[in-house]
Amino acid sequence: MSVELHPDIRNLDPESLCASIYPQLYQNFLNSQDKGSVEEGDAVSIRPHNAAYGFAEAIAAEVTQEETGGRLLLDYLKRSSGDIQGLLRANNGFEAGIKDQSLLSKYQWEGPDQQEESGVEINGVLRIGGNDLRIGGERVLSYDRQRETAVLAGKNLSMECATITSRGEWLIGEKRETGVYEGVSY
């Protein structure tokens, strides 16, 4: 049985993704053969050509989303961009960012007393599109745009060993006349 070179190899568009992947795959396949047993152009070198072309064609079709009849890499998310539909799980770590800078990541830390801590780390500005921040199901912080007022909510507020600095006014109660008021003088 004679082996023939895949006819589409000669017609590859030099600008296509397939054409850029194929030569490297072929060289890798050819190099994996016994030295001296294969020479470029002989009947044995046709098999690595055809295998490399088959791999390159499948990869290029999936990455560029060309229709080839079968979708081998249907769940593949392109490294440069892409969309996710459905559930995203990353149980062994997760990191997201932009321009090679991590903005959101999962971390796990073990302290000197063997106490483990894990959570999400945000490196950058956190913008919350809604009106409030909830922790443990309770509204802790909200913002009223009409009154230009941030509201820190909670039955009790503990500042632990904090020093509070303000360049504004302090009003405890509803009105200056009936509450405790301290204005700032410069």
Side-chain angles (χ1 to χ4, degrees):
M1 177 174 168
S2 70
V3 178
E4 294 182 16
L5 187 66
H6 194 291
D8 289 343
I9 293 174
R10 289 184 179 88
N11 300 325
L12 269 173
D13 175 5
E15 301 297 317
S16 71
L17 179 59
C18 186
S20 67
I21 298 170
Y22 161 73
Q24 182 65 45
L25 285 171
Y26 169 70
Q27 198 59 50
N28 290 343
F29 292 159
L30 188 65
N31 290 342
S32 70
Q33 305 296 317
D34 290 334
K35 295 241 186 253
S37 67
V38 179
E39 288 187 29
E40 179 60 42
D42 70 9
V44 179
S45 74
I46 293 174
R47 285 191 174 93
H49 269 292
N50 290 344
Y53 176 75
F55 276 98
E57 182 182 42
I59 293 167
E62 290 299 324
V63 171
T64 59
Q65 298 183 359
E66 297 169 0
E67 291 302 324
T68 60
R71 302 295 297 198
L72 300 175
L73 304 173
L74 190 60
D75 296 327
Y76 173 72
L77 181 62
K78 291 183 273 185
R79 183 175 178 156
S80 61
S81 66
D83 295 320
I84 297 174
Q85 295 177 354
L87 183 63
L88 169 65
R89 284 194 177 119
N91 293 326
N92 291 315
F94 176 77
E95 184 175 276
I98 190 166
K99 295 183 180 178
D100 292 327
Q101 179 185 1
S102 174
L103 297 176
L104 174 77
S105 62
K106 184 218 176 275
Y107 75 90
Q108 188 162 9
W109 175 79
E110 187 174 311
D113 57 353
Q114 306 300 315
Q115 187 79 5
E116 284 191 12
E117 174 183 287
S118 61
V120 175
E121 183 175 327
I122 298 172
N123 297 305
V125 176
L126 174 62
R127 292 185 183 189
I128 299 174
N131 295 327
D132 58 76
L133 173 66
R134 295 180 181 267
I135 299 176
E138 298 295 324
R139 187 178 78 175
V140 175
L141 180 63
S142 63
Y143 186 73
D144 184 332
R145 291 185 188 278
Q146 289 179 332
R147 296 186 320 166
E148 296 181 331
T149 304
V151 178
L152 184 59
K155 201 171 199 177
N156 298 300
L157 179 62
S158 173
M159 301 297 267
E160 297 289 319
C161 299
T163 299
I164 300 172
T165 304
S166 172
R167 291 191 307 228
E169 302 174 339
W170 283 81
L171 172 61
I172 300 173
E174 295 291 323
K175 301 177 185 174
R176 288 184 188 182
E177 298 79 23
T178 59
V180 177
Y181 171 77
E182 179 63 39
V184 178
S185 59
Y186 293 96

